Amino acid sequence: LIKTAEMYETIIQQESASRPVLVLFSAPWCGPCRLTNPVVKEVKQQFSSLIDVVEVCTDDFAEIAEEAGVVSIPTIQFYYQGEKMDTIVGCVEKSVLANAVSKVLEDVSQIKTPTS
């Protein structure tokens, strides 16, 4: 769980990051967020060696959510070296989220090893 705006910026903006970051924007009172949390945890375990996962409580950090363009929760965003790679809004099934992670990892591998 993100504790400060500085912590969020450090994690998201790391241009030297070797792994993509999945950011879950949610709030404790949000029913769909409570349904999404276990899905994110399962996917985090599935891809634990390949991605980092953080959660941003929109109640505590509305300014971060606003800067990220979050207008509805839950929202999941993927970042790599400071660049937003993908966004998923609303409840999501594990298979859909896992496919999104796989796609982001594929895109990142192409960034790391550009074809000539």
Side-chain angles (χ1 to χ4, degrees):
L1 192 62
I2 295 294
K3 303 284 186 202
T4 66
E6 293 77 21
M7 182 180 173
Y8 172 82
E9 289 298 324
T10 299
I11 291 169
I12 299 308
Q13 297 300 329
Q14 270 189 336
E15 291 185 17
S16 62
S18 60
R19 297 163 23 142
V21 180
L22 180 159
V23 182
L24 171 62
F25 292 91
S26 66
W29 50 264
C30 167
C33 298
R34 288 195 297 268
L35 294 173
T36 301
N37 274 334
V39 173
V40 171
K41 284 187 172 105
E42 286 180 39
V43 169
K44 176 184 177 182
Q45 288 176 338
Q46 182 179 345
F47 293 94
S48 62
S49 64
L50 301 171
I51 65 169
D52 294 321
V53 177
V54 297
E55 183 177 357
V56 175
C57 176
T58 56
D59 286 351
D60 296 338
F61 297 105
E63 69 282 354
I64 291 175
E66 185 178 331
E67 281 179 31
V70 173
V71 293
S72 179
I73 54 174
T75 291
I76 296 169
Q77 293 182 339
F78 296 92
Y79 290 87
Y80 179 66
Q81 296 183 341
E83 297 293 321
K84 190 185 314 178
M85 304 284 292
D86 196 5
T87 300
I88 299 171
V89 179
C91 282
V92 64
E93 291 182 19
K94 182 182 176 191
S95 62
V96 173
L97 183 55
N99 286 341
V101 170
S102 295
K103 172 79 169 84
V104 167
L105 290 170
E106 185 179 308
D107 292 346
V108 165
S109 72
Q110 290 176 1
I111 292 169
K112 286 183 177 179
T113 55
T115 55
S116 44

